[in-house]
Short mmCIF file of all heavy atoms in Angstrom, two decimals:
data_model
loop_
_atom_site.label_atom_id
_atom_site.label_comp_id
_atom_site.label_asym_id
_atom_site.label_seq_id
_atom_site.Cartn_x
_atom_site.Cartn_y
_atom_site.Cartn_z
N VAL A 327 7.03 -4.15 -2.55
CA VAL A 327 6.46 -5.22 -3.33
C VAL A 327 5.29 -5.83 -2.60
O VAL A 327 4.21 -6.11 -3.20
CB VAL A 327 7.50 -6.30 -3.67
CG1 VAL A 327 6.88 -7.52 -4.33
CG2 VAL A 327 8.61 -5.73 -4.56
N LEU A 328 5.40 -6.04 -1.30
CA LEU A 328 4.34 -6.57 -0.49
C LEU A 328 3.10 -5.68 -0.56
O LEU A 328 1.96 -6.11 -0.83
CB LEU A 328 4.78 -6.78 0.95
CG LEU A 328 3.94 -7.59 1.91
CD1 LEU A 328 4.81 -8.03 3.11
CD2 LEU A 328 2.72 -6.86 2.44
N VAL A 330 2.35 -3.21 -2.80
CA VAL A 330 1.84 -3.10 -4.14
C VAL A 330 0.98 -4.30 -4.53
O VAL A 330 -0.11 -4.20 -5.09
CB VAL A 330 2.95 -2.84 -5.16
CG1 VAL A 330 2.51 -3.07 -6.60
CG2 VAL A 330 3.51 -1.43 -4.99
N THR A 331 1.53 -5.50 -4.22
CA THR A 331 0.75 -6.73 -4.49
C THR A 331 -0.57 -6.72 -3.75
O THR A 331 -1.60 -7.09 -4.35
CB THR A 331 1.59 -7.98 -4.10
OG1 THR A 331 2.86 -7.90 -4.74
CG2 THR A 331 0.88 -9.22 -4.51
N ALA A 332 -0.52 -6.35 -2.50
CA ALA A 332 -1.79 -6.37 -1.68
C ALA A 332 -2.83 -5.41 -2.29
O ALA A 332 -3.97 -5.80 -2.41
CB ALA A 332 -1.46 -5.93 -0.26
N VAL A 333 -2.42 -4.24 -2.70
CA VAL A 333 -3.32 -3.26 -3.24
C VAL A 333 -3.85 -3.65 -4.59
O VAL A 333 -5.07 -3.56 -4.88
CB VAL A 333 -2.69 -1.88 -3.27
CG1 VAL A 333 -3.56 -0.83 -3.99
CG2 VAL A 333 -2.33 -1.35 -1.85
N LEU A 334 -3.01 -4.17 -5.43
CA LEU A 334 -3.44 -4.60 -6.78
C LEU A 334 -4.39 -5.78 -6.66
O LEU A 334 -5.44 -5.81 -7.35
CB LEU A 334 -2.23 -5.03 -7.61
CG LEU A 334 -1.33 -3.89 -8.11
CD1 LEU A 334 -0.14 -4.44 -8.85
CD2 LEU A 334 -2.12 -2.96 -9.05
N PHE A 335 -4.14 -6.74 -5.79
CA PHE A 335 -5.03 -7.85 -5.63
C PHE A 335 -6.38 -7.39 -5.04
O PHE A 335 -7.43 -7.84 -5.50
CB PHE A 335 -4.42 -8.92 -4.70
CG PHE A 335 -5.10 -10.26 -4.74
CD1 PHE A 335 -5.17 -11.01 -5.94
CD2 PHE A 335 -5.68 -10.77 -3.59
CE1 PHE A 335 -5.81 -12.24 -5.94
CE2 PHE A 335 -6.34 -11.98 -3.66
CZ PHE A 335 -6.39 -12.70 -4.82
N PHE A 336 -6.31 -6.50 -4.09
CA PHE A 336 -7.55 -5.97 -3.50
C PHE A 336 -8.43 -5.28 -4.57
O PHE A 336 -9.59 -5.49 -4.71
CB PHE A 336 -7.23 -4.99 -2.36
CG PHE A 336 -8.45 -4.28 -1.83
CD1 PHE A 336 -9.14 -4.82 -0.75
CD2 PHE A 336 -8.93 -3.10 -2.39
CE1 PHE A 336 -10.26 -4.21 -0.26
CE2 PHE A 336 -10.00 -2.48 -1.90
CZ PHE A 336 -10.73 -2.99 -0.82
N CYS A 338 -8.38 -5.55 -7.82
CA CYS A 338 -8.92 -6.50 -8.80
C CYS A 338 -10.02 -7.37 -8.19
O CYS A 338 -10.85 -7.87 -8.94
CB CYS A 338 -7.80 -7.32 -9.37
SG CYS A 338 -6.59 -6.39 -10.37
N LEU A 339 -9.98 -7.58 -6.89
CA LEU A 339 -11.00 -8.41 -6.27
C LEU A 339 -12.41 -7.71 -6.33
O LEU A 339 -13.43 -8.40 -6.35
CB LEU A 339 -10.67 -8.70 -4.82
CG LEU A 339 -9.73 -9.85 -4.53
CD1 LEU A 339 -9.34 -9.83 -3.09
CD2 LEU A 339 -10.37 -11.16 -4.89
N PHE A 342 -14.57 -8.72 -9.20
CA PHE A 342 -14.78 -10.16 -9.14
C PHE A 342 -15.77 -10.58 -8.08
O PHE A 342 -16.32 -11.67 -8.14
CB PHE A 342 -13.44 -10.87 -8.94
CG PHE A 342 -12.68 -11.03 -10.20
CD1 PHE A 342 -11.96 -10.01 -10.76
CD2 PHE A 342 -12.64 -12.26 -10.92
CE1 PHE A 342 -11.25 -10.12 -11.92
CE2 PHE A 342 -11.95 -12.40 -12.07
CZ PHE A 342 -11.24 -11.37 -12.60
N LYS A 355 -11.36 -15.42 -8.39
CA LYS A 355 -10.38 -14.47 -7.90
C LYS A 355 -9.33 -14.23 -8.94
O LYS A 355 -8.89 -15.16 -9.63
CB LYS A 355 -9.77 -15.03 -6.61
CG LYS A 355 -10.71 -15.04 -5.44
CD LYS A 355 -10.08 -15.55 -4.15
CE LYS A 355 -11.09 -15.54 -3.04
NZ LYS A 355 -10.53 -16.11 -1.75
N PRO A 356 -8.87 -12.99 -9.07
CA PRO A 356 -7.92 -12.62 -10.13
C PRO A 356 -6.49 -13.07 -9.86
O PRO A 356 -5.61 -12.22 -9.59
CB PRO A 356 -8.03 -11.08 -10.18
CG PRO A 356 -8.38 -10.72 -8.74
CD PRO A 356 -9.19 -11.83 -8.21
N PHE A 357 -6.20 -14.34 -9.88
CA PHE A 357 -4.86 -14.82 -9.63
C PHE A 357 -3.86 -14.37 -10.69
O PHE A 357 -2.66 -14.39 -10.48
CB PHE A 357 -4.90 -16.36 -9.62
CG PHE A 357 -5.12 -16.96 -8.22
CD1 PHE A 357 -6.06 -16.35 -7.38
CD2 PHE A 357 -4.47 -18.10 -7.81
CE1 PHE A 357 -6.32 -16.86 -6.11
CE2 PHE A 357 -4.74 -18.63 -6.56
CZ PHE A 357 -5.64 -17.99 -5.68
N PHE A 358 -4.36 -13.95 -11.88
CA PHE A 358 -3.47 -13.65 -12.96
C PHE A 358 -2.61 -12.39 -12.67
O PHE A 358 -1.48 -12.27 -13.16
CB PHE A 358 -4.23 -13.39 -14.26
CG PHE A 358 -5.31 -12.33 -14.16
CD1 PHE A 358 -5.02 -11.02 -14.50
CD2 PHE A 358 -6.61 -12.66 -13.82
CE1 PHE A 358 -6.03 -10.01 -14.44
CE2 PHE A 358 -7.61 -11.71 -13.75
CZ PHE A 358 -7.32 -10.37 -14.05
N VAL A 359 -3.07 -11.50 -11.76
CA VAL A 359 -2.31 -10.33 -11.45
C VAL A 359 -1.08 -10.66 -10.60
O VAL A 359 0.07 -10.35 -11.01
CB VAL A 359 -3.19 -9.27 -10.72
CG1 VAL A 359 -2.34 -8.08 -10.27
CG2 VAL A 359 -4.28 -8.78 -11.67
N PRO A 360 -1.20 -11.29 -9.42
CA PRO A 360 0.01 -11.64 -8.67
C PRO A 360 0.86 -12.70 -9.42
O PRO A 360 2.08 -12.74 -9.22
CB PRO A 360 -0.55 -12.20 -7.33
CG PRO A 360 -1.98 -12.53 -7.58
CD PRO A 360 -2.45 -11.59 -8.62
N LEU A 361 0.20 -13.54 -10.22
CA LEU A 361 1.04 -14.50 -10.96
C LEU A 361 1.92 -13.78 -11.98
O LEU A 361 3.07 -14.18 -12.27
CB LEU A 361 0.12 -15.51 -11.69
CG LEU A 361 -0.42 -16.64 -10.81
CD1 LEU A 361 -1.53 -17.40 -11.57
CD2 LEU A 361 0.65 -17.57 -10.34
N ALA A 362 1.38 -12.66 -12.55
CA ALA A 362 2.22 -11.89 -13.50
C ALA A 362 3.40 -11.29 -12.74
O ALA A 362 4.52 -11.24 -13.27
CB ALA A 362 1.37 -10.81 -14.12
N LEU A 363 3.20 -10.84 -11.49
CA LEU A 363 4.34 -10.31 -10.71
C LEU A 363 5.33 -11.44 -10.45
O LEU A 363 6.55 -11.21 -10.50
CB LEU A 363 3.80 -9.72 -9.40
CG LEU A 363 2.78 -8.63 -9.45
CD1 LEU A 363 2.49 -8.06 -8.06
CD2 LEU A 363 3.25 -7.49 -10.40
N CYS A 364 4.86 -12.63 -10.14
CA CYS A 364 5.76 -13.77 -9.94
C CYS A 364 6.61 -14.02 -11.17
O CYS A 364 7.80 -14.38 -11.13
CB CYS A 364 4.98 -15.02 -9.53
SG CYS A 364 4.22 -15.00 -7.92
N ALA A 365 5.97 -13.91 -12.33
CA ALA A 365 6.68 -14.19 -13.62
C ALA A 365 7.67 -13.14 -14.02
O ALA A 365 8.68 -13.44 -14.68
CB ALA A 365 5.66 -14.42 -14.72
N LEU A 366 7.42 -11.91 -13.57
CA LEU A 366 8.26 -10.79 -14.04
C LEU A 366 9.31 -10.31 -13.05
O LEU A 366 10.27 -9.66 -13.41
CB LEU A 366 7.35 -9.61 -14.46
CG LEU A 366 6.40 -9.91 -15.64
CD1 LEU A 366 5.48 -8.73 -15.80
CD2 LEU A 366 7.23 -10.08 -16.93
N LEU A 367 9.10 -10.59 -11.75
CA LEU A 367 10.02 -10.12 -10.73
C LEU A 367 10.87 -11.28 -10.24
O LEU A 367 10.53 -12.46 -10.46
CB LEU A 367 9.25 -9.54 -9.54
CG LEU A 367 8.38 -8.28 -9.84
CD1 LEU A 367 7.72 -7.80 -8.58
CD2 LEU A 367 9.21 -7.19 -10.44
N PRO A 368 12.00 -10.97 -9.65
CA PRO A 368 12.88 -12.08 -9.15
C PRO A 368 12.15 -12.95 -8.11
O PRO A 368 11.14 -12.57 -7.52
CB PRO A 368 14.06 -11.32 -8.52
CG PRO A 368 14.02 -9.94 -9.07
CD PRO A 368 12.58 -9.67 -9.34
N ILE A 372 11.49 -11.90 -2.89
CA ILE A 372 10.45 -11.19 -3.58
C ILE A 372 9.25 -12.11 -3.84
O ILE A 372 8.10 -11.69 -3.72
CB ILE A 372 10.95 -10.64 -4.91
CG1 ILE A 372 11.97 -9.51 -4.60
CG2 ILE A 372 9.83 -10.03 -5.73
CD1 ILE A 372 11.44 -8.40 -3.74
N GLY A 373 9.50 -13.39 -4.10
CA GLY A 373 8.36 -14.31 -4.23
C GLY A 373 7.60 -14.44 -2.90
O GLY A 373 6.38 -14.51 -2.91
N ALA A 375 7.44 -12.00 -0.68
CA ALA A 375 6.70 -10.75 -0.57
C ALA A 375 5.41 -10.78 -1.38
O ALA A 375 4.39 -10.25 -0.92
CB ALA A 375 7.56 -9.59 -1.00
N ILE A 376 5.41 -11.34 -2.56
CA ILE A 376 4.22 -11.43 -3.37
C ILE A 376 3.18 -12.34 -2.70
O ILE A 376 1.99 -11.98 -2.62
CB ILE A 376 4.55 -11.99 -4.79
CG1 ILE A 376 5.45 -10.98 -5.53
CG2 ILE A 376 3.28 -12.29 -5.59
CD1 ILE A 376 6.01 -11.55 -6.85
N GLY A 377 3.59 -13.47 -2.18
CA GLY A 377 2.66 -14.33 -1.45
C GLY A 377 2.06 -13.65 -0.23
O GLY A 377 0.83 -13.74 -0.02
N LEU A 378 2.89 -12.99 0.55
CA LEU A 378 2.39 -12.20 1.71
C LEU A 378 1.46 -11.10 1.26
O LEU A 378 0.47 -10.84 1.90
CB LEU A 378 3.56 -11.64 2.48
CG LEU A 378 4.41 -12.64 3.31
CD1 LEU A 378 5.65 -12.00 3.83
CD2 LEU A 378 3.59 -13.19 4.48
N GLY A 379 1.79 -10.44 0.15
CA GLY A 379 0.98 -9.39 -0.35
C GLY A 379 -0.42 -9.86 -0.78
O GLY A 379 -1.41 -9.19 -0.54
N VAL A 380 -0.48 -11.00 -1.45
CA VAL A 380 -1.78 -11.58 -1.84
C VAL A 380 -2.63 -11.88 -0.60
O VAL A 380 -3.83 -11.59 -0.52
CB VAL A 380 -1.62 -12.85 -2.70
CG1 VAL A 380 -3.00 -13.43 -3.08
CG2 VAL A 380 -0.86 -12.51 -4.00
N ALA A 381 -2.00 -12.48 0.40
CA ALA A 381 -2.67 -12.82 1.65
C ALA A 381 -3.17 -11.54 2.30
O ALA A 381 -4.35 -11.45 2.80
CB ALA A 381 -1.76 -13.58 2.59
N GLY A 383 -3.80 -8.65 0.75
CA GLY A 383 -4.86 -8.09 -0.06
C GLY A 383 -6.22 -8.76 0.17
O GLY A 383 -7.23 -8.07 0.28
N GLU A 384 -6.19 -10.07 0.30
CA GLU A 384 -7.40 -10.76 0.65
C GLU A 384 -7.86 -10.43 2.06
O GLU A 384 -9.05 -10.21 2.29
CB GLU A 384 -7.15 -12.31 0.55
CG GLU A 384 -8.31 -13.17 1.05
CD GLU A 384 -9.45 -13.23 0.06
OE1 GLU A 384 -9.22 -12.80 -1.12
OE2 GLU A 384 -10.52 -13.73 0.43
N TYR A 404 -2.13 -18.90 0.18
CA TYR A 404 -1.64 -17.88 -0.71
C TYR A 404 -0.11 -17.78 -0.65
O TYR A 404 0.57 -17.70 -1.67
CB TYR A 404 -2.23 -16.48 -0.33
CG TYR A 404 -3.67 -16.31 -0.71
CD1 TYR A 404 -4.62 -16.00 0.27
CD2 TYR A 404 -4.09 -16.48 -2.04
CE1 TYR A 404 -5.96 -15.84 -0.07
CE2 TYR A 404 -5.41 -16.30 -2.37
CZ TYR A 404 -6.32 -15.98 -1.39
OH TYR A 404 -7.66 -15.87 -1.75
N GLY A 407 1.39 -21.01 -2.24
CA GLY A 407 1.12 -21.14 -3.63
C GLY A 407 1.90 -20.18 -4.50
O GLY A 407 2.52 -20.57 -5.49
N PHE A 408 1.88 -18.91 -4.15
CA PHE A 408 2.55 -17.88 -4.96
C PHE A 408 4.06 -17.99 -4.81
O PHE A 408 4.82 -17.66 -5.76
CB PHE A 408 2.03 -16.51 -4.66
CG PHE A 408 0.65 -16.32 -5.26
CD1 PHE A 408 -0.47 -16.43 -4.47
CD2 PHE A 408 0.51 -15.95 -6.59
CE1 PHE A 408 -1.77 -16.26 -5.01
CE2 PHE A 408 -0.77 -15.77 -7.15
CZ PHE A 408 -1.89 -15.92 -6.36
N TRP A 409 4.54 -18.33 -3.63
CA TRP A 409 5.99 -18.58 -3.47
C TRP A 409 6.43 -19.72 -4.40
O TRP A 409 7.50 -19.64 -4.98
CB TRP A 409 6.29 -18.83 -2.01
CG TRP A 409 7.70 -18.53 -1.59
CD1 TRP A 409 8.72 -18.10 -2.42
CD2 TRP A 409 8.27 -18.66 -0.29
NE1 TRP A 409 9.89 -17.92 -1.69
CE2 TRP A 409 9.65 -18.30 -0.40
CE3 TRP A 409 7.78 -19.07 0.91
CZ2 TRP A 409 10.48 -18.32 0.69
CZ3 TRP A 409 8.62 -19.05 2.04
CH2 TRP A 409 9.94 -18.69 1.90
N ALA A 411 4.98 -20.70 -7.18
CA ALA A 411 4.91 -20.26 -8.57
C ALA A 411 6.15 -19.36 -8.90
O ALA A 411 6.73 -19.52 -9.98
CB ALA A 411 3.63 -19.51 -8.79
N SER A 412 6.54 -18.51 -7.98
CA SER A 412 7.67 -17.64 -8.22
C SER A 412 8.96 -18.47 -8.37
O SER A 412 9.78 -18.18 -9.27
CB SER A 412 7.81 -16.65 -7.04
OG SER A 412 8.97 -15.88 -7.19
N TYR A 415 8.85 -20.14 -11.87
CA TYR A 415 9.14 -19.28 -12.95
C TYR A 415 10.61 -18.85 -13.00
O TYR A 415 11.16 -18.51 -14.06
CB TYR A 415 8.29 -18.07 -12.84
CG TYR A 415 6.77 -18.26 -13.07
CD1 TYR A 415 5.85 -17.57 -12.40
CD2 TYR A 415 6.37 -19.24 -13.97
CE1 TYR A 415 4.46 -17.80 -12.58
CE2 TYR A 415 5.00 -19.50 -14.18
CZ TYR A 415 4.04 -18.75 -13.45
OH TYR A 415 2.74 -18.97 -13.66
N LEU A 425 4.08 -20.84 -17.81
CA LEU A 425 3.10 -19.97 -17.19
C LEU A 425 1.81 -20.73 -16.80
O LEU A 425 1.29 -20.51 -15.67
CB LEU A 425 2.70 -18.81 -18.15
CG LEU A 425 3.79 -17.79 -18.48
CD1 LEU A 425 3.32 -16.82 -19.55
CD2 LEU A 425 4.22 -17.04 -17.24
N GLY A 428 2.67 -23.11 -13.75
CA GLY A 428 2.83 -22.33 -12.55
C GLY A 428 1.47 -21.83 -12.00
O GLY A 428 1.26 -21.90 -10.77
N ALA A 429 0.57 -21.42 -12.90
CA ALA A 429 -0.73 -20.92 -12.48
C ALA A 429 -1.57 -22.03 -11.83
O ALA A 429 -2.16 -21.87 -10.78
CB ALA A 429 -1.50 -20.32 -13.64
N CYS A 432 0.04 -23.13 -8.43
CA CYS A 432 -0.28 -22.12 -7.38
C CYS A 432 -1.71 -22.27 -6.91
O CYS A 432 -1.99 -22.31 -5.67
CB CYS A 432 -0.06 -20.74 -7.96
SG CYS A 432 -0.61 -19.39 -6.91
N HIS A 466 -9.54 -20.47 -10.27
CA HIS A 466 -8.42 -19.58 -9.99
C HIS A 466 -7.22 -19.89 -10.86
O HIS A 466 -6.49 -18.96 -11.26
CB HIS A 466 -8.02 -19.74 -8.54
CG HIS A 466 -9.08 -19.43 -7.53
ND1 HIS A 466 -9.01 -19.78 -6.21
CD2 HIS A 466 -10.24 -18.78 -7.68
CE1 HIS A 466 -10.09 -19.35 -5.57
NE2 HIS A 466 -10.86 -18.74 -6.48
N TRP A 470 -9.22 -17.94 -14.32
CA TRP A 470 -8.73 -16.58 -13.97
C TRP A 470 -7.24 -16.62 -13.56
O TRP A 470 -6.75 -15.76 -12.84
CB TRP A 470 -9.56 -16.06 -12.80
CG TRP A 470 -10.98 -15.88 -13.14
CD1 TRP A 470 -12.04 -16.53 -12.64
CD2 TRP A 470 -11.49 -14.94 -14.10
NE1 TRP A 470 -13.20 -16.13 -13.22
CE2 TRP A 470 -12.91 -15.13 -14.12
CE3 TRP A 470 -10.94 -13.99 -14.92
CZ2 TRP A 470 -13.77 -14.39 -14.99
CZ3 TRP A 470 -11.78 -13.30 -15.78
CH2 TRP A 470 -13.16 -13.45 -15.78
N GLY A 471 -6.52 -17.60 -14.05
CA GLY A 471 -5.09 -17.73 -13.80
C GLY A 471 -4.33 -17.79 -15.13
O GLY A 471 -3.87 -16.77 -15.64
N LEU A 475 -3.19 -14.74 -17.93
CA LEU A 475 -1.73 -14.56 -17.72
C LEU A 475 -0.98 -14.61 -19.01
O LEU A 475 0.03 -13.91 -19.21
CB LEU A 475 -1.23 -15.69 -16.77
CG LEU A 475 0.18 -15.53 -16.25
CD1 LEU A 475 0.26 -14.33 -15.31
CD2 LEU A 475 0.54 -16.78 -15.47
N LEU A 478 -1.26 -11.09 -20.26
CA LEU A 478 -0.87 -10.01 -19.41
C LEU A 478 0.65 -9.92 -19.26
O LEU A 478 1.17 -8.78 -19.20
CB LEU A 478 -1.53 -10.24 -17.99
CG LEU A 478 -1.27 -9.15 -16.98
CD1 LEU A 478 -1.82 -7.79 -17.48
CD2 LEU A 478 -1.90 -9.49 -15.65
N VAL A 479 1.34 -11.03 -19.18
CA VAL A 479 2.78 -10.98 -19.01
C VAL A 479 3.48 -10.23 -20.13
O VAL A 479 4.31 -9.34 -19.87
CB VAL A 479 3.34 -12.41 -18.81
CG1 VAL A 479 4.88 -12.38 -18.88
CG2 VAL A 479 2.92 -12.97 -17.48
N LEU A 482 2.76 -6.46 -19.74
CA LEU A 482 3.38 -5.77 -18.62
C LEU A 482 4.89 -5.66 -18.62
O LEU A 482 5.45 -4.77 -18.01
CB LEU A 482 2.92 -6.45 -17.30
CG LEU A 482 1.52 -6.12 -16.74
CD1 LEU A 482 1.33 -6.89 -15.48
CD2 LEU A 482 1.43 -4.63 -16.44
N PHE A 486 6.65 -1.77 -15.56
CA PHE A 486 6.46 -1.47 -14.14
C PHE A 486 7.58 -1.92 -13.26
O PHE A 486 7.73 -1.49 -12.12
CB PHE A 486 5.14 -2.06 -13.65
CG PHE A 486 5.21 -3.49 -13.26
CD1 PHE A 486 5.34 -3.90 -11.96
CD2 PHE A 486 5.23 -4.46 -14.24
CE1 PHE A 486 5.40 -5.22 -11.57
CE2 PHE A 486 5.29 -5.83 -13.88
CZ PHE A 486 5.38 -6.19 -12.55
N PHE A 935 -6.14 -0.82 -17.48
CA PHE A 935 -5.63 -1.90 -16.57
C PHE A 935 -4.15 -1.82 -16.39
O PHE A 935 -3.59 -1.77 -15.26
CB PHE A 935 -6.06 -3.26 -17.11
CG PHE A 935 -5.84 -4.38 -16.13
CD1 PHE A 935 -6.59 -4.46 -14.98
CD2 PHE A 935 -4.83 -5.32 -16.34
CE1 PHE A 935 -6.35 -5.48 -14.08
CE2 PHE A 935 -4.62 -6.30 -15.43
CZ PHE A 935 -5.38 -6.42 -14.28
N ILE A 939 -1.83 -0.57 -13.03
CA ILE A 939 -0.80 -1.38 -12.39
C ILE A 939 0.47 -0.57 -12.28
O ILE A 939 1.17 -0.57 -11.25
CB ILE A 939 -0.59 -2.70 -13.16
CG1 ILE A 939 -1.83 -3.56 -12.96
CG2 ILE A 939 0.64 -3.43 -12.64
CD1 ILE A 939 -1.78 -4.91 -13.74
#
Side-chain angles (χ1 to χ4, degrees):
V327 173
L328 194 160
V330 166
T331 305
V333 172
L334 288 174
F335 193 64
F336 174 92
C338 293
L339 276 172
F342 278 78
K355 290 182 180 176
F357 271 38
F358 57 91
V359 174
L361 282 170
L363 302 186
C364 290
L366 295 173
L367 298 181
I372 293 303
I376 294 170
L378 288 169
V380 177
E384 175 76 13
Y404 286 123
F408 285 97
W409 201 358
S412 176
Y415 292 146
L425 291 176
C432 171
H466 301 165
W470 299 114
L475 190 66
L478 185 60
V479 169
L482 279 179
F486 82 102
F935 191 69
I939 291 179

